[in-house]
Amino acid sequence: MAGLAALSLALLGKIGYHSFGFSRSKAVESSMKIRNFCIIAHIDHGKSTLADRILERSGAITEREMQAQFLDDMDLERERGITIKASAVSVRYQLDGEDYMLNLIDTPGHVDFHYEVAKALQACEGALLVVDATQGVQAQTVANAYAAIEAGLEIIPVINKIDLPSARSDEVAEEMEQVLGIDALSCVRISAKSGLGINDLFRAICLKLPGPKGDANLPLQALIFDSKYDEYRGVIVYVRVINGRISMGQKIRMMGQQRVYQITAMGKFAPKTTAVPALAAGEVGFFVANIKALGDVTIGDTVTDVNNPAVEPLAGYRPPKQMVYCDFYPGPDTQYTQLREALERLRLNDSSFTFEPENSDALGFGFRCGFLGLLHMEIVQERLEREQKVQVVQTAPTVPYEVVLNDDTVKTIDSASELPDPSKLKEIREPMIRANIIIPGENIGDISKLCQDRRGVYRKTEYIGPQRVILEYDLPLAEVIFDFFDRLKTATRGYGTLDYNFLGFKADDLVRMDILVNGQAIGALSLIVHKSKAESRGRAIIRKLKTEIGRHLFEVPLQAAIGSRVIARETISAMRKNVTAKCYGGDVSRKRKLLEKQKEGKKRMKQVGRVEIPQEAFMAVLEPGE
């Protein structure tokens, strides 16, 4: 899938679907050379700043229109200084009398949004691999470079921030050669902030990157890489044309779902939304065809012509896999229907998270939501509260598990409450990851101990310079999603970086631990833990809950239990009114009678009373134990 692809990804959010603001333009001139490429790098190595500079130097935007992180249109992206959604734009550039159409994609750097990078790689023939001259090769640098190599992309290595006093450009070039096998002499050295070396980068893009392949005379094959719902036009479909030609009024067929539509509008970005009569092989754009629901469009499906269909569909790509789950329940001033509508609206713009109805005795009706990672979960919650104006109570995150029943049936579950009866279970499998941790050499002992404490299995150590190493460990994902990254940063004084790949599911000695409040098991607090850590984890959670749940008029026992066996207990003492205060003399039996009456009242209250559990109590499950 060639790179023009993601050019729609972010611009559509910026432009707005209800008013395309079309300017009429011809399709790309046949004499114009197309270069499709993405910008990939570790977090905060300067991808978005480089995209800004390319837009400015090519004349795609004026100085008046220029702003930092131009392609990051979400307020959250600007406030956090990160890219969440891959963003793209198409610009024109002239080199040595030749006209070029440069289609660039600015991708996220965080591991949670790696699926956005995967989309971008399939949309391109080349990639700019950006590395910070002060920090050198980091975990996501390695991951993105290998992903680009596997996708068969031509890589241009770029060393950024060379104008900083602490820059070590020569050492970083040697690191790239040693770790990634990239020729140190081929690195383009730039400062995206000041514009130093940008002209050299333009020349490398035009001369080193290959043009898109494809034959406009073959039957139409166009790959769907994204879609978005517009309340006025229906679903807007973004495609990369691999072979053939797609035109206005043409009848098309979605090869996966075998549905036929007629195109009513087409466009592309250059960089403003521009209506075009057709898209030929190598180009990317969008079309509207009176499609009513997002479910009618499958990302990765192939579009072909009804009258002259392609023989077989394109390969497509795998949908993102949710690896972290938690429950969202309505907050104090939010109704269940409000939360459902807010999730549905947000789902139209972010197809990478899932939700389904959930019910809890303690919290009522809510939703079980799946996310790509902890940052993704945090972003979705913040967008719900900020953009959709709803309040949510969030439970602690969990990971999916596979359970094998006695009849060898394999079932995937994403919460402990779904775990079948132990008598029906053959084994429980947990998700495993392969972590690549880049750290200073002096911290090898601390990080090795951290990994071993989290049930990690050592794989190898690789030196990428005199002071830095890559540690490779296989770890259970459940041990990583809590505070592993925070502890890594603390142990390495902020210099450690982490990247991981999902390996699969592995059987281990796992058990379900229930948390009982006032004798009632709270499903939202139940979790699956390794048997060796169950007791310490249970004690830590119970102690934390005792500080978070307020005192009531009756005694509240807190227990952690595996099956019928209680492994930890704490008691929240009752608030007591001094009913004998008015008895300042007389027979002691009078005081006794009042105390017995109070005791009976507390006993009845405990039977019908309800324990109020605050949001902080559910997050107590995040405490990893001692």
Side-chain angles (χ1 to χ4, degrees):
M1 192 172 108
L4 250 185
L7 77 98
S8 27
L9 273 167
L11 286 189
L12 283 181
K14 193 177 296 297
I15 293 162
Y17 297 96
H18 54 279
S19 58
F20 279 103
F22 276 143
S23 62
R24 283 285 167 188
S25 168
K26 297 178 181 178
V28 179
E29 293 86 345
S30 58
S31 61
M32 186 171 291
K33 296 182 177 180
I34 299 175
R35 296 291 182 267
N36 300 319
F37 64 96
C38 57
I39 306 174
I40 55 177
H42 189 77
I43 307 162
D44 201 31
H45 279 205
K47 297 179 297 297
S48 298
T49 306
L50 177 56
D52 291 345
R53 211 53 54 228
I54 291 176
L55 290 176
E56 189 180 55
R57 284 291 178 90
S58 64
I61 54 176
T62 63
E63 189 175 341
R64 182 176 60 83
E65 296 171 317
M66 189 63 216
Q67 59 177 323
Q69 288 180 266
F70 184 85
L71 296 179
D72 292 342
D73 56 300
M74 272 190 248
D75 290 339
L76 271 176
E77 290 179 311
R78 296 186 180 283
E79 288 175 17
R80 290 171 174 258
I82 61 173
T83 298
I84 296 169
K85 189 79 175 166
S87 308
V89 66
S90 179
V91 301
R92 297 190 178 200
Y93 188 75
Q94 192 172 68
L95 178 70
D96 300 334
E98 295 267 14
D99 288 326
Y100 290 87
M101 172 68 77
L102 306 182
N103 304 304
L104 71 95
I105 309 165
D106 175 26
T107 63
H110 196 279
V111 65
D112 279 14
F113 304 114
H114 187 70
Y115 79 102
E116 290 283 347
V117 179
K119 280 185 181 181
L121 293 176
Q122 295 194 48
C124 304
E125 284 80 39
L128 306 184
L129 180 62
V130 181
V131 180
D132 189 321
T134 62
Q135 297 183 24
V137 174
Q138 300 291 328
Q140 279 297 110
T141 311
V142 178
N144 289 333
Y146 286 159
I149 292 168
E150 288 174 10
L153 270 61
E154 182 71 30
I155 296 177
I156 297 178
V158 180
I159 299 178
N160 190 22
K161 306 183 186 181
I162 60 171
D163 55 342
L164 293 180
S166 56
R168 45 187 189 90
S169 305
D170 293 338
E171 290 179 34
V172 171
E174 289 175 10
E175 282 183 13
M176 294 179 77
E177 182 169 318
Q178 183 173 342
V179 179
L180 306 173
I182 293 172
D183 184 5
L185 298 176
S186 67
C187 294
V188 181
R189 305 186 184 198
I190 66 165
S191 169
K193 190 171 184 179
S194 69
L196 180 65
I198 295 297
N199 290 339
D200 293 335
L201 182 59
F202 269 117
R203 176 171 287 276
I205 292 169
C206 295
L207 300 182
K208 290 186 178 181
L209 296 185
K213 297 177 181 178
D215 189 343
N217 298 316
L218 291 175
L220 172 64
Q221 285 180 304
L223 187 65
I224 299 174
F225 64 87
D226 206 357
S227 63
K228 194 155 187 173
Y229 182 78
D230 174 68
E231 57 184 0
Y232 297 101
R233 292 179 168 237
V235 179
I236 299 159
V237 182
Y238 307 110
V239 293
R240 158 68 195 268
V241 182
I242 305 298
N243 289 309
R245 184 181 180 87
I246 188 167
S247 309
M248 276 286 293
Q250 182 177 0
K251 280 194 173 182
I252 57 168
R253 184 189 302 276
M254 309 286 194
M255 296 186 74
Q257 301 200 8
Q258 289 298 311
R259 294 183 177 176
V260 175
Y261 301 96
Q262 185 167 8
I263 294 176
T264 58
M266 294 184 65
K268 60 190 309 182
F269 305 94
K272 295 179 181 178
T273 313
T274 306
V276 296
L279 294 170
E283 295 186 65
V284 174
F286 62 85
F287 68 78
V288 178
N290 293 325
I291 304 172
K292 304 300 182 187
L294 274 176
D296 296 336
V297 178
T298 303
I299 305 300
D301 201 354
T302 301
V303 176
T304 191
D305 184 62
V306 170
N307 300 318
N308 183 24
V311 176
E312 56 184 21
L314 299 165
Y317 36 68
R318 293 178 298 176
K321 184 176 179 63
Q322 286 74 38
M323 295 307 299
V324 172
Y325 291 84
C326 78
D327 295 345
F328 282 169
Y329 293 93
D333 300 322
T334 301
Q335 300 297 319
Y336 174 79
T337 53
Q338 288 177 282
L339 179 57
R340 183 187 63 210
E341 290 167 2
L343 284 167
E344 288 171 349
R345 284 194 296 270
L346 196 59
R347 182 82 168 81
L348 293 176
N349 295 318
D350 184 358
S351 60
S352 59
F353 85 93
T354 60
F355 66 93
E356 58 186 28
E358 180 77 6
N359 185 22
S360 165
D361 293 335
L363 296 169
F365 292 97
F367 295 92
R368 183 72 173 165
C369 303
F371 308 94
L372 303 174
L374 286 180
L375 178 63
H376 188 212
M377 179 186 74
E378 187 182 333
I379 293 294
V380 169
Q381 182 185 5
E382 196 163 340
R383 290 186 67 188
L384 281 173
E385 294 178 345
R386 180 181 299 194
E387 298 173 14
Q388 308 299 330
K389 309 298 182 187
V390 297
Q391 293 180 324
V392 297
V393 174
Q394 173 197 331
T395 63
T398 60
V399 298
Y401 292 87
E402 280 187 354
V403 294
V404 183
L405 305 179
N406 291 332
D407 60 358
D408 290 329
T409 304
V410 179
K411 179 183 176 184
T412 302
I413 62 171
D414 52 54
S415 71
S417 58
E418 297 178 20
L419 199 63
D421 186 89
S423 63
K424 300 178 182 178
L425 275 179
K426 192 173 184 179
E427 63 182 20
I428 305 175
R429 300 170 181 168
E430 62 183 341
M432 299 293 294
I433 61 167
R434 175 150 298 168
N436 288 300
I437 309 166
I438 298 184
I439 56 172
E442 62 192 40
N443 299 123
I444 290 179
D446 295 333
I447 303 306
S448 295
K449 185 178 185 305
L450 173 63
C451 292
Q452 288 163 10
D453 289 344
R454 299 302 173 88
R455 298 191 284 125
V457 178
Y458 171 77
R459 290 299 174 193
K460 66 178 181 180
T461 302
E462 182 180 345
Y463 282 82
I464 58 174
Q467 303 296 329
R468 298 169 70 234
V469 298
I470 301 178
L471 285 181
E472 191 174 282
Y473 270 88
D474 289 350
L475 289 155
L477 181 59
E479 299 283 355
V480 175
I481 67 167
F482 295 116
D483 66 343
F484 184 88
F485 190 66
D486 291 339
R487 295 203 174 196
L488 169 66
K489 285 293 185 183
T490 301
T492 60
R493 302 188 306 282
Y495 289 104
T497 59
L498 168 71
D499 175 69
Y500 60 81
N501 295 308
F502 176 64
L503 290 178
F505 290 88
K506 178 185 175 184
D508 211 329
D509 193 5
L510 303 168
V511 293
R512 169 177 168 169
M513 182 169 70
D514 290 313
I515 304 298
L516 286 74
V517 177
N518 198 26
Q520 180 185 12
I522 307 299
L525 291 176
S526 298
L527 65 159
I528 298 173
V529 296
H530 195 267
K531 200 167 185 177
S532 64
K533 293 193 168 188
E535 188 172 335
S536 61
R537 184 77 182 275
R539 291 185 187 282
I541 291 172
I542 293 299
R543 279 199 297 269
K544 183 72 174 175
L545 284 176
K546 186 178 180 181
T547 64
E548 299 293 350
I549 297 177
R551 294 174 70 190
H552 291 63
L553 292 173
F554 51 90
E555 187 179 84
V556 179
L558 305 174
Q559 297 166 305
I562 298 174
S564 58
R565 184 169 67 92
V566 175
I567 59 173
R569 173 176 172 133
E570 293 283 349
T571 302
I572 301 174
S573 58
M575 289 190 292
R576 182 177 175 184
K577 179 181 177 182
N578 188 3
V579 294
T580 63
K582 59 186 177 180
C583 301
Y584 47 85
D587 192 352
V588 70
S589 62
R590 188 179 172 201
K591 290 186 178 181
R592 246 186 228 131
K593 185 177 179 182
L594 287 171
L595 289 171
E596 286 297 324
K597 187 177 179 181
Q598 182 188 45
K599 187 176 179 181
E600 287 298 316
K602 285 182 180 287
K603 191 174 180 181
R604 286 196 306 273
M605 190 183 297
K606 186 173 183 179
Q607 291 173 349
V608 298
R610 180 186 173 96
V611 180
E612 294 294 331
I613 306 176
Q615 159 82 47
E616 292 76 15
F618 291 96
M619 300 311 291
V621 185
L622 283 170
E623 295 296 325
E626 297 171 350

